[in-house]
């Protein structure tokens, strides 16, 4: 080594003064950090299609940067990761680890563990005991095979370390995997989370024991009196007792004082808590148990129910899990030298360890789960879920290596085992656990069925937050009418799961509330207004309301929605449009203020990600879908002037061109017509004579961008039959609701102008239109129009546009079609000679 380690300085004087920054601690640390983050992030992107958790990418990144791959080049190793720099890198990474474990403690809600009760406890105990015993067995073999006489560690600590290494389940990694697989709010997800939490607590206790036994490393173990371990254990127990008895009430007081009255957490309390993490870490280190144990216990003492914990997490989490934690896993990878696993014996040991770990965990969990009457397939899924090692495992291994209990070879073997077990979790669970599939439904089927008295209308209403509540309630109320038809409403609060672990807290709260749902998240009102609004509504009407929460990354959110619609046999999904207009239209006087494009016309946009969720649901839904473009539906003035004071949309207009989507919209209009307070008007647009003679033909143009052009269905349809169906639907409608409904026919020259004039008049609160994916001749005319929101179809798009000064809210209805029908963009050809309206509309 070219220079003296004791002379390592923090920062350099720069290149101009002849210094190489890489010979100085801080610039080198920056380079290492940047390199590690870049590598692990790129790997995370590669692993995403395999649905692998981030930890995997970080460990693999470390292994690639370390002696196993790139590190074989000694020049690179000496330059970028020289020996003297490793303690510095590890110290920084350990700060991340300290705070991370504090966050884990913060997220572990002991009371929720108590509640999920004996079942999860039994599963967790079996899931720890069997692999622990198996680990002890393997430990004997490894100790005799892979250790030289000189470096053999003490029996007790080695056995405990191996046992812990094989029996652990990584709680934070498991939570993320469950969320990705859409199992979080299911029974199996709840059991897995509770069992993993038990498992975590048990593992930390065992680890503390192992560390106490290992003491100051193997080599001087012989001279150490056994009393030392006893003292360490007793002090550890004393520390935990002190934290729970003295510090916990103190932290309750801090949380109460520090909780934001006006959205500000007092800075001093946050600093106090962060200092507390460090002090607790130092205290356990002083006792002789690893410092992370102190941070973990301190996390447990902070109250879970207030705003304070949530804010703390928000303050420190991105920095910790985004920057410092990847360093920790990468340092594990850097210490892992796969080349150390030499010869058949070593590889045999690797196989043995992996098989023992998986079998112990899966068999133990499976057996326990079957004993508490979990179905076999679910029990097996649970086994694979509990086999997730990930991150906690690495912490154990690193401590073992620090304490000289594990040599390089054993360490490498166990790291590979942890990688493998975590890697197989997602694919195996996806293969084993397939929930049942239901039939596909639409509104029309209900009214057509013979025993419609027994059928209940099931609706799944999705919402982003309290802002959507009143409009949804008033829409549902106007549908909830028929004397015989029961309405069952599922309300799904959609919440985005990000990479941050505080989303795990959301999930836990969601599980905890019985209403598996929004627990005063962020600001206390959100929970109460979302749930409260629907609870009050449930007491008023004859409606069964079931609130549910979906916590999911946006790209897979639609799977949650469609899956629920399928399992609950829902007839229609109602989605909120990604833009809302916050206008309370008065009846009469209040309208004019935004007619000129005033403030009322500036929509509030929840973001493109949510728009994509809607598009995917429209594409994949197992039933009919309606998108609600809310322009102040169910506003307070509307309520106060309604007949019985209940919340109802009063004046509804159904625009009818023809085609399956329009027929579904008409069916919905019929349901609304039954409500005494709702006045329905149906406007039917007839085909103009000129169109009849110059029919429009649509040809597929798949090259067109779906973001800017409307897409139509690609099934061949007999135009004559379609026309019959349309006429039949209208006749049926008129015969049933003749007295209650106003019916108009129009033969306009310009559909867009005519549609807009309906929307700009103040005659309606809600306009219901079909999405028009099998377009009638007039709608086919619009195929070439530049689309603002193509997912709403041509007519819905005109009415939803923010520039057209439309006043009422819009409901765009899509009838469920058979599966596997592609939608493609088209271009139109006006075909002078042909007489058929739909020529070959749907090629």
């Amino acid at each position: 080594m070219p220079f003296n380690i004791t002379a390592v300085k923090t920062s350099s004087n720069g290149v101009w003064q002849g210094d190489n920054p890489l010979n100085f601690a801080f610039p080198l640390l920056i380079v290492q950090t940047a390199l590690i983050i870049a590598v692990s992030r790129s790997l995370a992107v590669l692993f995403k299609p395999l649905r692998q958790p981030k930890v995997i990418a970080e460990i693999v990144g470390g292994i690639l940067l370390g002696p196993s791959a790139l590190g074989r080049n000694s020049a690179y190793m000496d330059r970028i990761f020289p020996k003297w720099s490793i303690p510095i890198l590890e110290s920084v990474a350990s700060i991340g680890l300290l705070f991370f474990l504090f966050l884990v403690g913060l997220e572990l809600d002991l009371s929720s563990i108590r509640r999920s009760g004996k079942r999860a406890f039994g599963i967790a105990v079996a899931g720890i005991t069997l692999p622990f015993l198996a680990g002890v067995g393997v430990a004997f073999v490894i100790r005799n095979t892979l250790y030289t006489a000189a470096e053999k560690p003490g029996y007790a600590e080695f056995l405990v370390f191996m046992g812990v290494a094989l029996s652990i389940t990584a709680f934070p990694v498991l939570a993320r995997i469950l969320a990705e697989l859409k199992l979080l709010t299911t029974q199996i997800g709840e059991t897995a989370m509770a069992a993993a939490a038990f498992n975590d607590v048990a593992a930390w206790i065992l680890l503390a024991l192992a560390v106490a036994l290992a003491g100051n490393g193997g080599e001087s173990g012989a001279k150490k009196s056994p009393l030392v371990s006893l003292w360490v254990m007793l002090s550890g127990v004393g520390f935990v007792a002190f934290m729970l008895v003295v510090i916990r009430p103190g932290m309750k007081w801090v949380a109460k004082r520090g909780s934001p009255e006006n959205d500000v957490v007092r800075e001093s309390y946050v600093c106090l808590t962060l200092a507390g993490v460090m002090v607790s870490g130092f205290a356990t280190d002083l006792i002789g148990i690893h410092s992370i144990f102190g941070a973990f216990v301190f996390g447990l003492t902070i109250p879970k129910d207030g705003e304070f914990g949530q804010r703390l997490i928000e303050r420190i989490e991105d920095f910790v899990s985004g920057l410092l934690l990847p360093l920790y896993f990468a340092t594990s990878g850097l210490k892992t030298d796969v080349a150390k696993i030499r010869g058949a014996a070593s590889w045999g040991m690797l196989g043995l360890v992996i098989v023992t770990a998986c079998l112990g965990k899966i068999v133990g969990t499976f057996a326990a789960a079957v004993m508490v009457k979990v179905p076999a397939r679910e029990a097996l899924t649970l086994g694979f879920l509990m086999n997730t090692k990930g991150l906690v495992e690495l912490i154990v291994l690193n401590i073992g290596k620090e304490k000289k209990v594990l040599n390089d070879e054993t360490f490498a073997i166990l790291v590979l085992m942890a990688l493998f077990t975590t890697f197989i979790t997602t694919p195996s669970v996806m293969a084993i656990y397939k929930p049942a599939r239901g039939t596909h439904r639409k509104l029309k089927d209900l009214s057509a069925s013979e025993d419609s008295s027994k059928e209940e209308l099931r609706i799944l209403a999705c919402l982003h937050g309290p802002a959507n509540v009143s409009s949804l309630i008033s829409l549902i109320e106007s549908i909830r009418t028929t004397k015989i038809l029961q309405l069952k409403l599922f309300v799904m609060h959609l919440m985005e799961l990000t990479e941050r672990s505080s989303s795990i807290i959301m999930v836990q709260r969601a599980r905890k509330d019985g209403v598996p749902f929004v627990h005063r998240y962020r600001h206390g009102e959100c929970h109460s207004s979302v749930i409260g609004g629907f609870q009050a509504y449930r007491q008023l009407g004859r409606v069964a309301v079931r609130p549910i929460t979906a916590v999911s990354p946006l790209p897979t959110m639609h799977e949650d929605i469609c899956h629920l619609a399928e399992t609950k046999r829902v007839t229609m999904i109602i989605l909120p449009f990604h833009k809302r207009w916050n206008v309370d239209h008065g009846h009469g006087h209040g309208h004019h203020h935004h007619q000129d494009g005033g403030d009322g016309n500036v929509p509030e946009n929840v973001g493109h990600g949510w728009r994509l969720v809607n598009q995917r649901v429209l594409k994949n839904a197992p039933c009919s879908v309606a998108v609600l473009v809310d322009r102040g539906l169910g506003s307070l003035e509307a309520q106060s002037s309604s007949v019985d004071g209940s919340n109802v949309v009063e004046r509804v207009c159904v625009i009818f061109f023809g085609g399956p989507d329009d027929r579904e919209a008409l069916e919905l209009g019929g349901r609304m017509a039954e409500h005494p307070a709702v006045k329905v008007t149906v406007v039917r647009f007839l085909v103009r004579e000129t169109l009849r003679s110059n029919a429009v033909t649509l040809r597929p143009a798949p090259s067109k961008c779906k973001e800017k052009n409307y897409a139509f269905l690609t099934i061949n349809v007999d135009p004559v039959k379609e026309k019959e169906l349309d006429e039949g639907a209208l006749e049926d409608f008129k015969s049933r609701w003749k007295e209650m409904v106003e019916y108009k026919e129009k033969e306009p020259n310009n559909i867009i102008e005519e549609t807009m004039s309906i929307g700009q008049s103040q005659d309606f609160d809600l306009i219901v239109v079909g999405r028009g994916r099998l377009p009638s001749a007039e709608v086919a005319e619009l195929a070439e129009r530049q689309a603002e929101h193509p997912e709403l179809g041509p007519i819905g798009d005109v009415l939803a546009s923010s520039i057209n000064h439309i006043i009422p809210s819009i409901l765009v209805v899509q009838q469920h079609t058979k599966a596997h029908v592609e939608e493609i963009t088209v271009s139109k050809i006006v075909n002078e000679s042909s007489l058929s309206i739909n020529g070959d509309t749907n090629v």
Side-chain angles (χ1 to χ4, degrees):
M1 195 160 278
F3 52 89
N4 185 354
I5 287 190
T6 52
V8 172
K9 292 196 180 65
T10 312
S11 51
S12 73
N13 297 321
V15 174
W16 298 119
Q17 299 191 33
D19 280 356
N20 178 352
L22 295 184
N23 292 339
F24 294 84
F26 190 57
L28 182 61
L29 181 69
I30 295 176
V31 171
Q32 292 170 337
T33 308
L35 184 65
I36 288 170
I37 300 275
V39 170
S40 62
R41 277 287 154 188
S42 333
L43 284 170
V45 173
L46 291 181
F47 285 151
K48 197 148 191 153
L50 301 173
R51 285 184 151 179
Q52 290 301 333
K54 221 171 54 183
V55 182
I56 294 257
E58 284 155 5
I59 305 168
V60 173
I63 292 178
L64 289 180
L65 291 170
S68 306
L70 288 173
R72 292 176 171 232
N73 175 343
S74 56
Y76 150 86
M77 242 355 213
D78 294 343
R79 193 85 316 241
I80 307 290
F81 294 106
K83 285 240 171 15
W84 59 266
S85 73
I86 298 295
I88 301 167
L89 181 63
E90 284 184 1
S91 302
V92 175
S94 300
I95 292 180
L97 186 66
L98 206 63
F99 279 103
F100 177 73
L101 273 154
F102 166 66
L103 289 177
V104 173
L106 233 175
E107 287 174 355
L108 246 186
D109 188 354
L110 294 174
S111 58
S112 81
I113 296 182
R114 277 204 297 274
R115 252 197 315 282
S116 357
K118 302 192 179 77
R119 187 178 181 178
F121 183 67
I123 293 174
V125 169
I128 292 175
T129 321
L130 196 63
F132 190 84
L133 296 173
V136 170
V138 171
F140 274 110
V141 183
I142 289 189
R143 191 170 180 276
N144 293 331
T145 326
L146 303 183
Y147 283 83
T148 58
E151 59 169 20
K152 277 195 179 168
Y155 259 117
E157 59 258 40
F158 188 60
L159 298 185
V160 176
F161 255 108
M162 287 298 292
V164 173
L166 265 65
S167 61
I168 224 158
T169 293
F171 175 77
V173 181
L174 178 71
R176 177 131 295 119
I177 289 181
L178 284 170
E180 291 238 319
L181 291 175
K182 313 278 166 243
L183 297 176
L184 254 174
T185 42
T186 59
Q187 179 79 46
I188 191 169
E190 290 182 16
T191 314
M193 287 286 272
F198 274 124
N199 208 322
D200 243 21
V201 175
W204 290 122
I205 295 169
L206 286 170
L207 182 61
L209 172 74
V211 174
L213 287 170
N216 49 359
E219 67 280 355
S220 56
K223 305 183 197 68
K224 189 181 64 177
S225 89
L227 279 176
V228 175
S229 301
L230 185 66
W231 282 123
V232 172
M233 280 315 290
L234 287 176
S235 333
V237 172
F239 171 78
V240 174
F242 173 77
M243 293 300 273
L244 295 179
V245 176
V246 181
I247 304 292
R248 198 172 183 174
M251 288 315 295
K252 236 189 194 104
W253 179 83
V254 167
K256 206 177 255 98
R257 291 292 306 274
S259 76
E261 292 313 305
N262 41 11
D263 271 3
V264 226
V265 172
R266 295 266 297 281
E267 218 40 56
S268 49
Y269 291 119
V270 175
C271 294
L272 179 73
T273 314
L274 298 183
V277 178
M278 297 296 210
V279 174
S280 317
F282 179 73
T284 44
D285 206 275
L286 193 68
I287 293 170
I289 304 174
H290 200 280
S291 51
I292 55 174
F293 188 71
F296 175 71
V297 177
F298 186 61
L300 291 177
T301 63
I302 290 176
K304 308 287 180 270
D305 40 12
E307 200 81 327
F308 185 66
Q310 187 65 42
R311 290 297 161 93
L312 264 180
I313 289 178
E314 281 173 15
R315 293 285 170 89
I316 58 179
E317 157 174 85
D318 289 342
F319 186 64
V320 169
S321 57
L323 186 74
L324 299 180
L325 252 197
L327 292 187
Y328 186 78
F329 296 128
T331 54
S332 306
L334 284 169
K335 287 185 229 162
T336 307
D337 188 356
V338 180
K340 282 274 192 323
I341 308 180
R342 283 198 201 92
S346 292
W347 286 104
M349 284 298 128
L350 175 63
L352 178 70
V353 167
I354 289 180
V355 171
T356 318
C358 294
L359 273 183
K361 201 69 169 167
I362 294 168
V363 172
T365 309
F366 178 77
V370 171
M371 279 159 70
V372 291
K373 305 203 171 41
V374 177
R377 177 169 281 201
E378 285 192 20
L380 193 57
T381 310
L382 260 177
F384 273 100
L385 286 170
M386 299 300 286
N387 196 26
T388 309
K389 295 277 187 289
L391 150 171
V392 190
E393 167 77 6
L394 284 182
I395 297 168
V396 176
L397 299 183
N398 277 313
I399 295 172
K401 192 162 190 307
E402 258 170 55
K403 302 280 183 201
K404 309 250 189 337
V405 176
L406 305 176
N407 63 10
D408 289 349
E409 197 171 348
T410 322
F411 180 76
I413 286 178
L414 291 173
V415 169
L416 292 183
M417 182 270 295
L419 266 182
F420 178 80
T421 49
T422 310
F423 202 92
I424 60 168
T425 302
T426 310
S428 35
V429 170
M430 285 172 75
I432 301 167
Y433 189 69
K434 292 194 177 68
R437 304 243 162 240
T439 51
H440 303 291
R441 311 162 74 88
K442 45 186 186 282
L443 271 178
K444 190 79 190 134
D445 306 341
L446 272 187
S447 48
S449 74
E450 294 306 309
D451 53 344
S452 58
S453 53
K454 292 196 194 73
E455 279 283 355
E456 51 181 0
L457 173 60
R458 290 158 162 260
I459 290 182
L460 168 59
C462 301
L463 42 84
H464 300 148
N468 311 117
V469 173
S470 66
S471 55
L472 265 177
I473 288 185
S474 54
L475 176 63
I476 300 291
E477 176 58 27
S478 51
I479 303 172
R480 178 197 75 79
T481 51
T482 338
K483 326 292 174 286
I484 40 178
L485 209 103
Q486 282 293 311
L487 175 65
K488 189 155 194 182
L489 176 64
F490 298 93
V491 181
M492 191 176 223
H493 189 152
L494 309 176
M495 285 175 144
E496 182 177 3
L497 176 82
T498 54
E499 277 290 314
R500 315 173 54 144
S501 56
S502 62
S503 11
I504 296 178
I505 272 221
M506 272 170 23
V507 170
Q508 292 219 281
R509 292 185 172 169
R511 281 179 39 216
K512 192 161 97 186
D513 284 10
V515 209
F517 203 49
V518 203
H519 179 88
R520 309 204 167 179
Y521 179 55
R522 289 297 151 80
H523 313 294
E525 320 80 69
C526 172
H527 161 73
S528 44
S529 57
V530 172
I531 290 290
F534 282 103
Q535 297 303 27
Y537 174 53
R538 171 155 106 193
Q539 282 144 14
L540 274 173
R542 301 197 317 274
V543 178
V545 179
R546 166 108 194 274
I548 298 161
T549 232
V551 186
S552 212
L554 286 188
T556 59
M557 181 74 81
H558 67 282
E559 294 175 19
D560 280 13
I561 299 173
C562 296
H563 173 69
L564 188 86
E566 207 156 285
T567 47
K568 302 292 183 200
R569 307 196 313 285
V570 169
T571 314
M572 181 174 265
I573 299 173
I574 299 176
L575 297 170
F577 190 52
H578 65 285
K579 295 181 182 172
R580 299 184 51 253
W581 283 259
N582 279 333
V583 278
D584 262 1
H585 310 307
H587 283 267
H589 60 275
H591 280 315
H592 307 293
H593 71 100
H594 68 268
Q595 204 48 5
D596 53 349
D599 293 344
N601 255 328
V602 181
E604 177 192 314
N605 193 338
V606 291
H608 186 67
W610 289 106
R611 179 182 174 195
L612 293 174
V613 171
N614 283 3
Q615 289 174 352
R616 293 189 194 105
V617 172
L618 282 164
K619 190 164 184 270
N620 302 311
C623 58
S624 295
V625 184
V627 180
L628 176 62
V629 182
D630 180 14
R631 287 198 176 87
L633 188 66
S635 59
L636 294 171
E637 293 171 66
Q639 283 177 40
S640 57
S641 61
S642 81
V643 185
D644 53 355
S646 70
N647 192 348
V648 165
V649 188
E650 296 161 331
R651 302 158 308 163
V652 177
C653 172
V654 179
I655 299 181
F656 187 85
F657 288 97
D661 294 345
D662 286 36
R663 296 197 288 272
E664 189 79 342
L666 193 66
E667 184 70 33
L668 193 64
R671 296 202 176 261
M672 294 179 168
E674 257 183 78
H675 197 292
V678 180
K679 173 97 180 64
V680 175
T681 308
V682 174
V683 179
R684 183 187 184 189
F685 284 84
L686 296 165
V687 184
R688 298 197 310 284
E689 282 306 315
T690 50
L691 251 185
R692 290 223 173 114
S693 51
N694 307 334
V696 172
T697 309
L698 297 179
R699 295 245 178 260
S703 56
K704 284 189 176 180
C705 160
K706 282 204 171 176
E707 280 295 299
K708 295 277 187 289
N709 294 284
Y710 302 114
F712 297 112
L713 287 180
T714 55
I715 36 181
N716 280 317
V717 174
D718 173 7
V720 181
K721 188 163 178 234
E722 274 296 295
K723 199 160 171 32
E724 278 171 18
L725 284 170
D726 289 345
E727 295 298 339
L730 281 166
E731 284 310 313
D732 186 35
F733 183 84
K734 282 192 267 190
S735 65
R736 276 164 73 185
W737 319 117
K738 195 152 189 104
E739 299 74 45
M740 310 180 188
V741 174
E742 189 182 338
Y743 178 78
K744 300 177 181 168
E745 294 194 342
K746 295 192 170 184
E747 195 175 310
N749 283 325
N750 182 328
I751 320 177
I752 294 189
E753 279 174 17
E754 195 63 50
T755 312
M756 275 167 51
S757 74
I758 295 176
Q760 287 161 353
S761 74
Q762 293 160 25
D763 304 340
F764 302 109
D765 301 318
L766 179 70
I767 299 181
V768 183
V769 295
R771 191 178 157 207
R773 292 163 311 148
L774 280 179
S776 59
E778 306 90 316
V779 179
E781 276 281 88
L782 309 175
E784 298 274 84
R785 237 181 120 255
Q786 193 68 2
E788 190 182 350
H789 307 111
E791 69 267 28
L792 299 180
I795 304 295
D797 190 19
V798 170
L799 290 169
S801 164
S802 35
I803 51 178
N804 293 341
H805 311 312
I806 306 292
I807 293 164
S809 300
I810 314 295
L811 190 68
V812 180
V813 180
Q814 166 186 304
Q815 186 181 58
H816 177 257
T817 39
K818 291 189 180 55
H820 312 305
V821 177
E822 264 310 297
E823 291 178 24
I824 53 173
T825 45
V826 295
S827 54
K828 67 171 183 177
I829 302 155
V830 175
N831 198 353
E832 308 269 327
S833 56
S834 151
L835 281 171
S836 78
I837 302 169
N838 269 38
D840 48 352
T841 313
N842 313 295
V843 183

